Amino acid sequence: MTDAGNWCLIESDPGVFTEMLHGFGADGLQVEELYSLDDDKALMKPVYGLIFLFKYRQGEEATGTPSAQPGIFFAQQVIQNACATQALINLIMNIDDPDVKIGELLTQYKEFAADMEPETRGMCLSNSEEIRTVHNSFSRQTLFEIDVKGGAPEDNYHFVTYVPIGGKVFELDGLREHPLEVATVKAGGDWVEAVRPIIQQRMVKHSEGEITFNLMALVPNRKQKYQEMLESLLLANDNNKNNELYEQIADINKAIEEEDRKMATYRKENARRRHNYTPFIIQLLKILAKEGKLVPLVEKAYETAKERSKMKTDKTVLSLKK
Amino acid sequence: QRKDAAGLRKVHIPLSDVLSNEVAAEAARQNADLLVQHLPQSDDPAQELSETVRTPQFRQASDLLGHALESGQLGQVLSQFDMNKDTIEGADNGSIITFAKELTRAEGGHLTEDSS
């Protein structure tokens, strides 16, 4: 893998991914976090794809069959920090729905990279200044760069994408050379059903090892869908306005409000992600110092830390005895 | 014994533990005029201020700063924030406790006998 250079590390979060979609100029999409695959509320149909994130371990076995089927857009991952963005883009490139507009930037990249090998596509993606700018707009601002010695090394997270293409489900893993065919969708069936056992198995495996993972779904923009529902509902019942209709309208409006609230929360959290807190922290330290509260707070934190390190030691002793 | 700077340094004190609590939150609310300019962009700064010390982003930033402090690399940064020589030296020493005491002296805060 080449130097991570100037791709920042970003957080795996539906708010970040959803805003990133806007940054790319894609329209009609959003990303929802799933806590299970039975999470019907988050899984607004059609589900365009799933992104699975986990802590990477060397030598993890592949579960599917390498595929050379044409018509799959797959870019290999050449830069570590870009992997979230690459997973998202690999997914978007394979959406086949006239309701989704992927935007000028990604259309250009798609056309440019269409005839390339997966590795070259990855290189081309990591060299795209426009895409990198959107990715880096989520970077954490700090006033300083330091070497943190003894701090936990940055965990190696890895993203894989599951996407339905032509009756099959493929796993796109940027660290592999080919897409993997992992499931076949029954005629008229739901692709999420087809891939469910594979993802569930993965989730179980990672929970057993207490390995952090999360699962996100790329779904239609829900507010837009609700608004369409509202319009067609009103149109269909133009001459027949009854209580049932009013109730349905109220429900949809409530759902729209909920989406608005969610997006407002995303905006708030993303502003915090981008914010440089150093001046705030320093000012707060000064305030606490002036009020004579800083030293007691530090001492209290020290006691807690001491307790914590003692507990850790006890645990180690116990496990050694076993 | 526990005031021995060398002894203290063995235990890592997360700066988020120092700052992400009700005492700090209350001090922040009482000093809104000094802090509001340093908040992230927000439609409701008063609300944002009261939430700040508990947000994961603030905690993360605090811990990063705390790590820098404990590794003795923060002095340079602090000199940009109008801190006196003793405080900066306290920070260079890599002990949050020493730094906290020097900062308290510099700001004219009250140091209890126990912690002087």
Side-chain angles (χ1 to χ4, degrees), chain A residues 141-196:
Chain A
Q141 301 294 317
T142 48
L143 269 185
F144 54 90
E145 291 211 17
I146 50 146
D147 308 316
V148 179
K149 289 184 210 106
E154 215 53 91
D155 285 321
N156 233 350
Y157 283 99
H158 183 51
F159 294 81
V160 297
T161 292
Y162 294 94
V163 62
I165 301 166
K168 300 261 165 59
V169 183
F170 294 91
E171 178 187 310
L172 307 181
D173 176 342
L175 291 182
R176 302 199 186 277
E177 279 175 35
H178 305 281
L180 296 176
E181 186 187 315
V182 292
T184 305
V185 187
K186 280 188 209 129
D190 179 5
W191 79 271
V192 177
E193 283 302 323
V195 78
R196 183 192 304 254

Side-chain angles (χ1 to χ4, degrees), chain A residues 85-289:
Chain A
T85 302
Q86 283 207 332
L88 187 62
I89 288 178
N90 264 340
L91 212 175
I92 296 170
M93 292 295 148
N94 289 296
I95 296 176
D96 181 20
D97 184 338
D99 282 352
V100 175
K101 307 273 180 287
I102 68 172
E104 205 179 317
L105 177 59
L106 295 184
T107 306
Q108 266 175 15
Y109 168 67
K110 191 175 183 177
E111 284 167 4
F112 186 64
D115 299 322
M116 291 175 178
E117 291 296 313
E119 194 186 347
T120 324
R121 276 178 189 157
M123 285 303 291
C124 172
L125 176 58
S126 55
N127 287 330
S128 162
E129 214 172 303
E130 290 94 340
I131 293 174
R132 189 176 58 203
T133 304
V134 175
H135 173 101
N136 280 351
S137 73
F138 290 93
S139 66
R140 196 165 43 188
Q141 301 294 317
T142 48
L143 269 185
F144 54 90
E145 291 211 17
I146 50 146
D147 308 316
V148 179
K149 289 184 210 106
E154 215 53 91
D155 285 321
N156 233 350
Y157 283 99
H158 183 51
F159 294 81
V160 297
T161 292
Y162 294 94
V163 62
I165 301 166
K168 300 261 165 59
V169 183
F170 294 91
E171 178 187 310
L172 307 181
D173 176 342
L175 291 182
R176 302 199 186 277
E177 279 175 35
H178 305 281
L180 296 176
E181 186 187 315
V182 292
T184 305
V185 187
K186 280 188 209 129
D190 179 5
W191 79 271
V192 177
E193 283 302 323
V195 78
R196 183 192 304 254
I198 289 150
I199 293 179
Q200 260 161 358
Q201 209 182 356
R202 241 185 157 146
M203 285 171 119
V204 169
K205 212 168 95 190
H206 284 93
S207 335
E208 279 169 356
E210 289 179 49
I211 291 170
T212 329
F213 63 88
N214 78 3
L215 183 63
M216 283 183 280
L218 186 68
V219 292
N221 180 296
R222 308 221 292 195
K223 187 176 171 180
Q224 285 171 12
K225 285 280 168 195
Y226 289 136
Q227 278 166 337
E228 283 165 22
M229 276 159 71
L230 204 56
E231 275 164 34
S232 53
L233 197 63
L234 289 171
L235 210 63
N237 293 281
D238 205 18
N239 301 315
N240 179 28
K241 294 204 162 55
N242 55 37
N243 277 341
E244 200 188 329
L245 176 69
Y246 289 123
E247 266 171 39
Q248 281 177 317
I249 291 172
D251 281 349
I252 296 175
N253 277 326
K254 225 165 90 186
I256 290 176
E257 275 169 35
E258 202 179 301
E259 285 303 307
D260 283 340
R261 257 198 304 276
K262 192 163 72 189
M263 292 304 151
T265 307
Y266 286 171
R267 273 195 299 278
K268 204 157 87 170
E269 288 174 355
N270 286 335
R272 288 172 185 166
R273 284 190 180 94
R274 295 183 171 112
H275 187 62
N276 175 9
Y277 279 99
T278 306
F280 185 100
I281 295 167
I282 304 275
Q283 188 62 57
L284 183 59
L285 286 168
K286 284 184 177 178
I287 291 166
L288 291 168

Side-chain angles (χ1 to χ4, degrees), chain A residues 4-15:
Chain A
N6 29 21
W7 287 76
C8 72
L9 197 67
I10 61 165
E11 216 176 309
S12 163
D13 174 272

